[in-house]
Amino acid sequence: MGKHQAASVSWTEISAAIRANPKRSVGLQMGTASATVSTLPDETAVAWISGGGWTEDASFTVTDPVSFSLWVRDPLYRIATPAIRRSLEMEEAAFLLHGSEAAWKQHNGRTRSWIRKHLEEDLRLRAGGGDPAPDAWEAIRTTKRAALLLDYVCVVRSLRVALWWPDLKAVTVVPLSGLGTSRPPVTQLNCLSGRMLIGPAGEMSVPAAAWPSLLLKASSEIVWAPPASAPSIGSNTVAQIHDQIQLLLGAGQPHVRTGGRTAIWNRLMWLTLEASLNGKDVQELADP
């Protein structure tokens, strides 16, 4: 699996390479040319991020966390035939499956609430050539098991993704923390369409520390919420949550102690994400 290396290649560069290829309509081996090879993407403007220039890559539907990992890391996956894509997905799922024990130890899977049985079941299905789970992105919004699979993939592959639900006026980011001092850029996914978002200059991600500024450009109706993979509030009292917020802010930083328990907990989750986006090695909070 070492051949799948991270690549900072913009869609603009990929598009130019496709146009310059005189054999772009020639099939791979005995197959026919994929429509995504011979046809440039029909991008759709994103109306809910102000300032203009953001579009969807309408040439590709990202179906689940395995597909997402490959879309970000392997430019060839984006333009491959369906058969080759499925083969790459099987390889990626097998890599994630066979590395689960080492990843559990390295990234403190217990604290992150990873359940190895669930991870292995879901990844084994994909490694065996099974179809992605239906409505995977909706499940990731509402179901902890599905969200933790995405959390696992992102932590292992050092990725970060903003999940936008424009129909529900909501956005979240996975993972909240757990990437150490590394600051991988944040890619954007429209979970309603399953399409990745492309920036005004053809960029496929936003620098980690700049993502909150992108959120400010979104419609004022869109609200950030903690992902379903985040630790639950459990029995934490208001005082305990305030104490954790103060630890993140630092002793010299003022902290307004107002709001209900849920609102304060969500603020703690946001501050955890913000610290991680800025390269702080934030310790993952364990579920109570």
Side-chain angles (χ1 to χ4, degrees):
M1 281 306 300
K3 62 184 178 182
H4 298 304
Q5 299 295 324
S8 56
V9 183
S10 73
W11 183 251
T12 300
E13 293 174 289
I14 294 172
S15 299
I18 294 172
R19 291 191 186 96
N21 180 8
K23 297 183 178 180
R24 62 180 179 271
S25 61
V26 176
L28 295 176
Q29 295 181 357
M30 296 180 66
T32 58
S34 167
T36 55
V37 176
S38 57
T39 306
L40 293 177
D42 175 22
E43 293 176 333
T44 305
V46 176
W48 29 276
I49 297 180
S50 65
W54 281 90
T55 57
E56 289 186 6
D57 173 13
S59 72
F60 196 102
T61 299
V62 177
T63 54
D64 70 348
V66 172
S67 176
F68 163 72
S69 173
L70 286 165
W71 190 95
V72 174
R73 297 171 42 257
D74 190 344
L76 294 180
Y77 173 74
R78 305 172 207 146
I79 59 173
T81 63
I84 291 176
R85 285 180 191 167
R86 180 54 62 95
S87 177
L88 290 171
E89 289 166 4
M90 292 169 65
E91 274 190 47
E92 177 70 359
F95 171 84
L96 294 165
L97 171 63
H98 297 314
S100 62
E101 182 176 356
W104 175 277
K105 296 175 181 177
Q106 181 181 353
H107 301 289
N108 201 347
R110 185 181 298 279
T111 299
R112 300 195 70 82
S113 299
W114 293 345
I115 299 176
R116 283 187 59 191
K117 179 176 181 290
H118 292 168
L119 295 174
E120 290 171 359
E121 286 175 352
D122 296 340
L123 291 169
R124 187 173 290 110
L125 176 65
R126 292 290 271 132
D131 292 331
D135 301 320
W137 301 113
E138 177 60 18
I140 284 167
R141 183 182 71 84
T142 59
T143 308
K144 196 172 186 73
R145 172 172 175 166
L148 285 172
L149 175 61
L150 177 61
D151 183 84
Y152 171 79
V153 172
C154 286
V155 170
V156 169
R157 286 303 198 185
S158 193
L159 304 173
R160 185 165 257 147
V161 60
L163 304 173
W164 299 82
W165 287 275
D167 56 327
L168 300 174
K169 312 298 184 188
V171 63
T172 195
V173 176
V174 176
L176 272 180
S177 61
L179 298 176
T181 56
S182 67
R183 295 193 295 169
V186 185
T187 50
Q188 321 297 314
L189 174 68
N190 180 351
C191 293
L192 183 61
S193 65
R195 296 170 177 170
M196 304 303 297
L197 305 189
I198 309 298
E203 68 271 25
M204 292 190 280
S205 60
V206 174
W211 189 82
S213 297
L214 179 64
L215 178 59
L216 292 176
K217 294 181 180 179
S219 166
S220 60
E221 297 178 340
I222 293 181
V223 177
W224 180 85
S229 55
S232 60
I233 191 170
S235 59
N236 282 282
T237 66
V238 169
Q240 288 172 329
I241 299 169
H242 279 306
D243 288 345
Q244 293 177 75
I245 289 175
Q246 194 65 66
L247 282 173
L248 275 176
L249 292 175
Q253 296 296 319
H255 167 42
V256 179
R257 294 174 175 262
T258 59
R261 195 168 73 112
T262 300
I264 298 169
W265 181 257
N266 287 349
R267 173 164 169 72
L268 173 61
M269 296 297 97
W270 170 258
L271 290 172
T272 300
L273 170 64
E274 195 172 42
S276 183
L277 288 171
N278 283 287
K280 296 181 181 178
D281 188 6
V282 184
Q283 183 176 356
E284 186 74 9
L285 298 172
D287 267 331

